[in-house]
Amino acid sequence: MSYIGKPIKRIEDARLVSGEGTFIDDLSPLPNIHYAAILRSPHAHARIKKIHSEEAAKLPGVKGVITGEEVAALTRPFPVGVKAPVKYYPIAVDKVRFVGEAVAVVVAKDRYIAEDALTLIKVEYEALDPVVNIEDALSPESAVLHDEVGSNIVNHRFFNYGNVDDAFKNADHVISKKFSFPKVSATPVENYGVIANYTKSEGAYTIWSNFHGPFTLHSVMTAALKVPSNRLRIITPKDIGGSYGIKSGVFPYMVLMGVVSRILNLPVKWIEDRQENLMASSSGTDRVSWIEAAVKKDGTIIGLKMKYADNVGGYIRAPEPASLYRTHSNATGAYRIQNVEIEAIAVVTNKSPTGLIRGYGGPQHYFPLERMMQIISDEIGLDVIEVIRKNLITKEEFPYHTATGGIYDSGDYHKALNLALESIDYQGFKVRQKEAWKNGKYLGLGFACIVEPSGSNMGYITLALTPEERSKSLPKSGCSEGATVSIDPQGGISVRISTVPTGQGHETVAAQIVADALGVDPITIRVVAELDTLTSPWSVASGSYSSRFAPIGSSAVYQAAQKVKLKLLEIAKNQLNTTLDELVMDNGKVRMKKDPEQSISIKRLVGLAHWNTEGLPIGMEPGVHETAFFTLSAAKSPNEMDIVNGSVTYGFVFDAVEVEVDIDTGEVKILDYTTIHDAGKLLNPNIVEGQIMGGLAHGLGAAMYEELAYDDRGQFLTGSFMDYLCPTATEIPKVTIKHIETPSPLTPLGAKGLGEGNTMSAPVVIANAVTDALRPFHVSIDQLPLSPDRIWSKIHNENTVKI
Amino acid sequence: MNGEGAIQLNGKVETVFTSLLDPEVLKNCIMGCNELNKKEENVYVADLSVGVAAVKGKYDATIRLADMQPPNSYKLIVNGEGAPGFVDAEALIQLVPIDGENTELKYTYEAQVGGKVAAIGQRMLGGVAKLIIKDFFKKIKKELEKVNIAE
């Protein structure tokens, strides 16, 4: 019986739907916990002249009011992977640089008192000119946020691969466009939460938080706190109520509350509210892209020039500017384009700081790239499918090496495309579309091809540095993850993982893998997903990000289970007096291949390891407790030519979406959404389905509704769910999901990550469909979200066409 | 955010002008004004409670009068700060006599808000501003009746 690949129900769900989940706000791990509330800046950019906190401190029940100066005295600015000397503390010191930045923390015996006390603090500000837009920030005329940097550009790199000049010389068409991608967030049901306790006697911080890594940030936090790494113990709760990357941005608050606990000598709890989350937690970057394609008249794209600028908000904080480089290795997407020039820029502006988010850099990247496929085919007068087919990497070319260093491990892109076309009746649509136009109905069909990277390589982030700068420090590479499988004296199997799931069902899949390896029922296995940096098997790359569980985390579990299996087989070999290759393990037993009657139960083997160690083979350690760490050699550090394989596995998504646009209201209706996925071997189709739908909803939000909007003074305008619109169940269209499976040759189970693909594809595929629908008006979508007012203005203001 | 408007008031230009600068009258006419005191010539400090959408709270406001052209025009500059954020507004007020008994008041204003009130209340701001202004003039009319009777 094999459990991998089966649509097993999630073992997490019983506790979640019966109210037995354990989230950060449920925890009360210490006596005498006090509650924190944070005073936040109403200004986008201002100097703090004076903070009057005396009245607040006098309120009965208040234990203290902490300001930036006190925090700065006990910490260092957070390190970040760029050379620009941006000083980022978890609370404003001297200056505020975005609306919502922390200015003071009140700690009181309960949250009510803490929040009341906030209203008693008076802050004198001297307002400064704000910088809000990317293009303003690029200008040397803009007000400088960080005087030490001298400009608002905090990272700037040029890359050149192949022979771009020749490609553009030999092109029949050169097509240039500019695109803007909005600042969007993810909106997990649960907001940030931290419980922090500093113990003077140990000089140590213990911090409980719904933080899910990457655990590179553990080193960022210990640097800020100025403590040895084992003096910062991070413990995550059993359940985390969603993140989609956003919760990695809780780390500044972990440091802040740690220091507040230290100053006041009290354990402190802080639970973020929704307004704070929208205003000041984290988000993706907004990006402006300039893209230029060199194209032959048969549709072959022979060169690409891309310049993009990401807005990282008021401070550049780790892991930024990684958003610029996450897609570097797959910069040319699913296409065979070997001549590429990239200029990558990160700017700071008076908006909230950014960080990990589902799709990280992908939606921003594929929006211009996949819009261009449609624009190119229109310009040279070919069908877009023909242009896509011509440029798609063929299955014979795998493993495919991209110009920038990506190594696409496996795929069959044409097969996925063909499957999509079979599903939608492309030719039939074209006829329907023409008929509909005649009747004043505007139907459109859009396509998008996405290479979905998963299991990121630690090394890619160092592309932010030049090869010379990189050579001055130790190289970074790998994608390490650990897992432990152990069996207690009575045969109970437990698994400990460090992938910190935030709702993706890692416990279920880990149980499936171990069940397969040891020949037991997954229901009997307990998986511990709480991470504790003092006791869990973790490494620097641990955590939940870059869809790394399927390629990496699950592989660590697999490897640990194999170690346990081998140990049990060794014991059995001794007991049955045979050789390893004569043995099989299934149904809770180890038996002889040739003589199934000769067997020994796993329970008995475990018993020997614990209760009767004299029965063990000579030299074997007692107990059954095996930890494995997994990485892949494909994750190498960037070389001196800036060649890097940024992820270890690369999946594929092909989307075809039909929309109808109401030209009187500007409303876009999605009539059909077909998405074809290739994520290698699927570990659990149930979970796959949920992940795909979630990623799609997220991408749909960016396409149609969501934007963290700011006015030209840097005032934040979308601080509630009435202003920041998220798609709900009623906005989700009919979705057809189909799979092909080209297993990864690199991972032991053949699996690749998924769940981010449609976040990357949905914004652009919908933009392509809307552009297609509005052909009679010559509207070309270059900006999101596709709100009715934006579409309406595009139709009616920018065109002289009379309707 | 900006706006403009005009309203007919019952009173001579001089009466209207004097009333509009009277702290007691202002206190009675400004919605949510708990206290208003003259700090110095043409500068008042006020304690306001205003709710915009879900953002209710107190503002410490400074009200300055500038470019005084009695009895024809003046500029009103309001800076309010409080837990919900801040409000900076500037209004130009012009008084034009209609006849010996009535005056037309014309106003234009520009306002900026910041912090929570902008983040959550911006959908409602225009409406709230109109409400506050309308309420102010309704009350001013009543105050002027009192003054007119007294005179």
Side-chain angles (χ1 to χ4, degrees), chain A residues 337-662:
Chain A
I337 307 168
Q338 286 291 333
N339 306 302
V340 186
E341 186 184 287
I342 296 171
E343 181 180 354
I345 307 165
V347 297
V348 285
T349 69
N350 297 110
K351 291 187 182 181
S352 62
T354 62
L356 294 188
I357 182 166
R358 198 174 206 164
Y360 199 41
Q364 294 95 322
H365 184 72
Y366 285 116
F367 181 52
L369 186 65
E370 292 299 298
R371 281 291 298 118
M372 284 303 273
M373 296 309 285
Q374 194 188 45
I375 291 165
I376 288 168
S377 32
D378 287 350
E379 180 122 351
I380 60 179
L382 291 174
D383 189 290
V384 64
I385 289 293
E386 197 181 321
V387 176
I388 291 171
R389 272 210 179 106
K390 184 146 277 163
N391 291 287
L392 272 189
I393 297 158
T394 60
K395 76 170 181 201
E396 292 75 24
E397 292 173 90
F398 290 93
Y400 180 80
H401 290 251
T402 68
T404 46
I407 307 167
Y408 294 173
D409 49 331
S410 65
D412 188 346
Y413 301 169
H414 286 88
K415 188 177 171 186
L417 180 147
N418 292 336
L419 182 58
L421 293 186
E422 282 164 27
S423 308
I424 60 162
D425 182 19
Y426 185 33
Q427 296 310 324
F429 171 79
K430 287 184 183 173
V431 177
R432 278 198 291 129
Q433 183 182 42
K434 287 216 175 78
E435 279 305 307
W437 278 337
K438 280 185 208 155
N439 298 323
K441 274 180 78 158
Y442 294 85
L443 301 180
L445 187 61
F447 299 104
C449 283
I450 302 297
V451 170
E452 180 180 359
S454 53
S456 61
N457 165 7
M458 295 275 306
Y460 88 83
I461 298 172
T462 60
L463 281 182
L465 303 174
T466 63
E468 296 74 48
E469 288 165 343
R470 278 201 301 270
S471 67
K472 288 180 190 131
S473 54
L474 289 172
K476 291 191 175 71
S477 67
C479 48
S480 313
E481 186 57 274
T484 302
V485 176
S486 53
I487 310 184
D488 67 32
Q490 296 189 80
I493 303 170
S494 62
V495 185
R496 186 130 200 215
I497 54 176
S498 302
T499 52
V500 200
T502 58
Q504 306 97 321
H506 295 181
E507 292 175 38
T508 303
V509 178
Q512 285 175 262
I513 292 167
V514 176
D516 267 10
L518 302 182
V520 298
D521 190 329
I523 291 294
T524 64
I525 296 170
R526 290 205 73 185
V527 182
V528 181
E530 294 102 307
L531 185 133
D532 177 338
T533 55
L534 282 190
T535 61
S536 291
W538 66 283
S539 182
V540 64
S542 286
S544 173
Y545 60 99
S546 80
S547 295
R548 62 193 306 282
F549 180 75
I552 310 297
S554 73
S555 302
V557 173
Y558 175 83
Q559 208 161 275
Q562 291 303 320
K563 279 189 173 178
V564 167
K565 181 180 181 179
L566 185 63
K567 178 160 190 171
L568 296 177
L569 288 173
E570 290 281 356
I571 302 170
K573 182 187 81 174
N574 205 40
Q575 292 291 311
L576 298 171
N577 207 9
T578 180
T579 55
L580 278 184
D581 52 6
E582 290 296 317
L583 296 173
V584 281
M585 187 184 272
D586 59 15
N587 295 322
K589 283 181 188 153
V590 175
R591 57 177 172 82
M592 299 284 285
K593 274 183 199 163
K594 288 180 186 146
D595 181 7
E597 291 306 305
Q598 268 207 58
S599 70
I600 182 165
S601 73
I602 289 177
K603 205 170 174 187
R604 174 91 186 93
L605 295 169
V606 173
L608 283 166
H610 287 286
W611 301 85
N612 183 19
T613 56
E614 70 181 28
L616 291 180
I618 294 160
M620 182 179 276
E621 291 173 11
V624 186
H625 190 96
E626 298 293 337
T627 294
F629 281 86
F630 183 84
T631 187
L632 280 167
S633 61
K636 292 188 169 51
S637 57
N639 72 9
E640 65 286 355
M641 307 295 290
D642 285 317
I643 291 280
V644 69
N645 182 28
S647 300
V648 289
T649 51
Y650 296 85
F652 182 69
V653 179
F654 188 91
D655 279 356
V657 171
E658 187 182 331
V659 300
E660 181 180 346
V661 183
D662 182 332

Side-chain angles (χ1 to χ4, degrees), chain A residues 29-78:
Chain A
L30 298 161
N32 198 32
I33 288 179
H34 282 64
Y35 297 83
I38 298 174
L39 182 74
R40 295 176 179 278
S41 168
H43 291 275
H45 195 192
R47 212 172 290 287
I48 299 171
K49 282 157 68 187
K50 198 163 177 17
I51 301 174
H52 303 272
S53 60
E54 308 77 20
E55 290 301 313
K58 274 191 251 165
L59 191 72
V62 169
K63 297 292 175 176
V65 183
I66 309 295
T67 61
E69 271 178 27
E70 293 163 89
V71 174
L74 290 171
T75 55
R76 270 198 290 262
F78 291 109

Side-chain angles (χ1 to χ4, degrees), chain A residues 42-43 119 122-123 275 279 713 715-719 722-723, chain B residues 60 81 83 85-86 112-116 118-120 122-123:
Chain A
H43 291 275
T119 65
K122 304 260 180 280
V123 184
Q275 294 171 4
M279 187 181 265
R713 302 292 304 158
Q715 280 302 326
F716 178 58
L717 302 177
T718 47
M722 288 180 79
D723 314 283
Chain B
D60 294 329
E81 267 184 53
F86 64 83
Q112 279 173 358
V113 297
K116 225 183 227 191
I120 298 158
Q122 56 97 13
R123 283 171 290 114

Side-chain angles (χ1 to χ4, degrees), chain A residues 50-120:
Chain A
K50 198 163 177 17
I51 301 174
H52 303 272
S53 60
E54 308 77 20
E55 290 301 313
K58 274 191 251 165
L59 191 72
V62 169
K63 297 292 175 176
V65 183
I66 309 295
T67 61
E69 271 178 27
E70 293 163 89
V71 174
L74 290 171
T75 55
R76 270 198 290 262
F78 291 109
V80 63
V82 296
K83 290 288 164 192
V86 171
K87 282 190 193 153
Y88 175 43
Y89 289 97
I91 181 169
V93 182
D94 302 332
K95 226 177 157 186
V96 290
R97 293 180 176 89
F98 63 97
V99 169
E101 185 171 2
V103 174
V105 180
V106 173
V107 173
K109 71 177 187 189
D110 65 39
R111 186 169 176 172
Y112 304 99
I113 296 172
E115 297 215 359
D116 285 350
L118 291 184
T119 65
L120 301 175

Side-chain angles (χ1 to χ4, degrees), chain B residues 25-36 46-52 57 59 127-139:
Chain B
V25 173
L26 287 175
K27 187 185 156 187
N28 293 340
C29 297
I30 298 171
M31 189 191 271
C33 183
N34 306 321
E35 220 174 299
L36 188 135
D47 169 359
L48 309 173
S49 297
V50 187
V52 180
Y59 297 83
V128 172
K130 277 185 196 140
L131 181 80
I132 291 173
I133 291 165
K134 211 173 143 190
D135 182 75
F136 177 80
F137 287 126
K138 201 170 104 192
K139 287 175 179 160

Side-chain angles (χ1 to χ4, degrees), chain A residues 277-352:
Chain A
N277 187 270
L278 285 166
M279 187 181 265
S281 63
S282 189
S283 75
T285 56
D286 41 326
R287 177 181 290 186
V288 178
S289 302
W290 294 263
I291 183 165
E292 206 171 336
V295 188
K296 300 296 275 186
K297 55 175 179 273
D298 69 351
T300 309
I301 303 165
I302 53 176
L304 269 183
K305 290 182 188 173
M306 290 176 273
K307 173 181 172 179
Y308 32 77
D310 267 11
N311 182 356
V312 298
Y315 300 85
I316 183 166
R317 73 177 175 200
E320 300 292 16
S323 171
L324 285 171
Y325 304 108
R326 164 108 193 277
T327 56
H328 194 86
S329 306
N330 52 299
T332 50
Y335 310 116
R336 190 190 306 99
I337 307 168
Q338 286 291 333
N339 306 302
V340 186
E341 186 184 287
I342 296 171
E343 181 180 354
I345 307 165
V347 297
V348 285
T349 69
N350 297 110
K351 291 187 182 181
S352 62

